[in-house]
Amino acid sequence: MFDFLDSGQYDLLGAFWVTVQLTLYSAAGSLVWGTVLAGMRVSPVPLMRGFGTAYVNVVRNTPLTVLIIGCSLGLNQTLGITLGGGTFKDIGFRLAVLALTAYTGTFVCEALRSGINTVPVGQAEAARALGLSFFQVLTLIVLPQAFRAVIGPLTNVLIALTKNTTVAAAIGVAEAALLMKEMIENEAQALFAVFGIFALGFVLLTLPTGLILGWVAKRVAVKR
Amino acid sequence: MKVLKAGAAVAVAVALALTATACGSSKKDDTAASDAGSSGAAKKDKIVIGIKFDQPGVGLKTPDGKYAGFDVDVATYVAKELGYAPDQIQFKQAVSAERENLISNGDVKFIVASYSINDKRKEKVDFAGPYFLAHQDLLVRADDNSITKAEDLNKKKLCSVTGSTSAQNVKTKLAPEADLQQFPGYSECLTGLESKALDALTTDNSILAGYAAQDKNKGKFKLVGLSLSNENYGIGLKKGDKELQTKINAAIAKMEADGSWEAAVKKNFGPANYKNEPAPQITEGK
């Protein structure tokens, strides 16, 4: 039933490795971008608050497929933006990371903002009283506590991101979902075996993520 | 409170409407499927045939709900030979990955959907035909003469559909160095081809000719005219149904003999430098 795997025609590990790379780059990017967005949304400057709110609500409510295909057709095919990539393989990967970061950043931002709300107001007031600036209050006092409170929700975001990378197949990034399409095209007789393999692959990627980060969340949670 | 109640009422109404429509449609599907399953039953109501809905020239559902294309013409002819009038045909979309399952589940009687005959597919379904011989070819801008053979692709930007056989052919055999972009559909490729972000689009020449012959694309693109592979299109049907296979083979042979085949080819693939092959020998079920 699984004998087509022995043919050496399909680079299963390679495809999943691209999935892992997409996930890691996008996770790092969206963590940074999401933090910046969260900072904007709680900042005292109305313009920044307005931008943060508008960005989060527009991007969060746009389907990821639309964002990714929009990046490829709009930025690359029409405007000729390559993000420094030479071949479509590089360009596609970078565009996918860009779109995944732009999208996942909104969820990181909102998770983080809920974390900021768990920090007692008195702490920020005390910090202000010591003469710290807004930026110092945020980075030294509030965010470190907020992050420890939202590791659980961020794990959900990371797991969703892992699965969302499959959308990158829509612009030809050679990750797991694209290989699955190839295998279905060629191995019609083993349709369910192919599905099974890829479902299992994603469970193997996401299950440990949930278990490990769940353990971390318990370890570092701020007891109040 | 009022708002909550109103919201709940709307939710219930929507849910009811959804279940109602869902029931309605599934019922219709059920009867259709059972019709297809009861091969040659006494009461011939409807026949369900799988075609492509998104390939101009081959199989296309037009915005007004009609169907057009070469595969549609072949399907209609074969159905006629089996004793079904055109208004007794119900077309069902058969996307590439689902074709084998549609057949083995009995959702369709047979499938005419640019379905290349190959050994792996024959493990799950039987074929009648072939009724058409297509080749993998390239579509380029009408003023572009820089591509004349497959090796020229190694320095070019090429587009095909995600995971398709044509895309795999390019990567493994034809031009491993080519910069290959894969999109979910051919329409996305055409956008890039027109804006010069891409140099060529590759798949079966029948499908390419269909795109080039579309009104909005006339004069913009041309086929290079290479024969990079042989794709024998067959009609897919349930494994072991010899009776149906023989009948369909006879229908194809008749279509080729009485000139309707030639007429359908001319009508659907017309312009765009497309030279069709003569009707292939029927090899399946012999």
Side-chain angles (χ1 to χ4, degrees), chain A residues 77 88 170-172 182 185-186, chain B residues 165 168 171 179 181 184 192 195:
Chain A
Q77 304 276 315
F88 281 124
I171 59 169
E182 269 184 29
E185 174 93 11
N186 299 345
Chain B
T165 319
Q168 295 179 41
K171 270 193 292 185
D179 195 3
Q181 170 69 298
S195 72

Side-chain angles (χ1 to χ4, degrees), chain B residues 189-208:
Chain B
C189 289
L190 283 180
T191 312
L193 192 57
E194 206 178 339
S195 72
K196 301 198 175 174
L198 297 164
D199 297 315
L201 160 57
T202 184
T203 183
D204 297 355
N205 51 9
S206 53
I207 299 170
L208 294 175

Side-chain angles (χ1 to χ4, degrees), chain B residues 35-210:
Chain B
D35 279 349
S38 59
S39 62
K43 195 164 162 268
K44 280 181 178 175
D45 261 335
K46 284 241 179 229
I47 182 169
V48 187
I49 304 176
I51 57 164
K52 286 273 169 70
F53 277 16
D54 56 354
Q55 294 178 346
V58 178
L60 183 74
K61 186 174 186 177
T62 54
D64 55 358
K66 293 201 180 83
Y67 303 94
F70 181 70
D71 279 349
V72 177
D73 292 344
V74 171
T76 314
Y77 194 95
V78 170
K80 191 188 82 189
E81 291 300 305
L82 294 177
Y84 295 91
D87 60 343
Q88 286 175 303
I89 301 173
Q90 188 191 341
F91 287 114
K92 195 176 172 89
Q93 183 166 26
V95 283
S96 296
E98 284 171 17
R99 290 182 293 208
E100 289 80 14
N101 270 0
L102 284 174
I103 293 173
S104 50
N105 293 347
D107 292 335
V108 295
K109 184 101 172 170
F110 56 84
I111 282 185
V112 196
S114 54
Y115 202 1
S116 302
I117 301 175
N118 70 33
D119 289 340
K120 284 213 168 120
R121 285 171 180 163
K122 275 200 252 180
E123 285 177 27
K124 204 127 188 232
V125 298
D126 271 346
F127 285 98
Y131 62 93
F132 194 75
L133 173 59
H135 303 291
Q136 185 175 351
D137 196 0
L138 304 166
L139 189 74
V140 294
R141 284 181 294 277
D143 56 0
D144 187 354
N145 294 318
S146 61
I147 302 174
T148 51
K149 53 187 188 300
E151 288 76 47
D152 293 341
L153 289 173
N154 279 324
K155 287 182 224 101
K156 295 288 182 182
K157 299 192 187 98
L158 187 65
C159 189
S160 193
V161 165
T162 316
S164 64
T165 319
S166 322
Q168 295 179 41
N169 266 348
V170 171
K171 270 193 292 185
T172 52
K173 276 183 255 159
L174 299 172
E177 311 264 290
D179 195 3
L180 178 68
Q181 170 69 298
Q182 300 186 54
F183 276 129
Y186 300 108
S187 309
E188 286 95 328
C189 289
L190 283 180
T191 312
L193 192 57
E194 206 178 339
S195 72
K196 301 198 175 174
L198 297 164
D199 297 315
L201 160 57
T202 184
T203 183
D204 297 355
N205 51 9
S206 53
I207 299 170
L208 294 175

Side-chain angles (χ1 to χ4, degrees), chain A residues 71-72 74-85 88 91-92 95 98:
Chain A
C71 271
S72 184
L75 292 182
N76 179 244
Q77 304 276 315
T78 311
L79 297 177
I81 294 170
T82 59
L83 296 180
F88 281 124
I91 299 169
L95 285 170
L98 176 74

Side-chain angles (χ1 to χ4, degrees), chain A residues 8 19 75 135 178 204 209:
Chain A
T19 297
L75 292 182
F135 190 70
L178 192 132
L204 288 180
T209 313

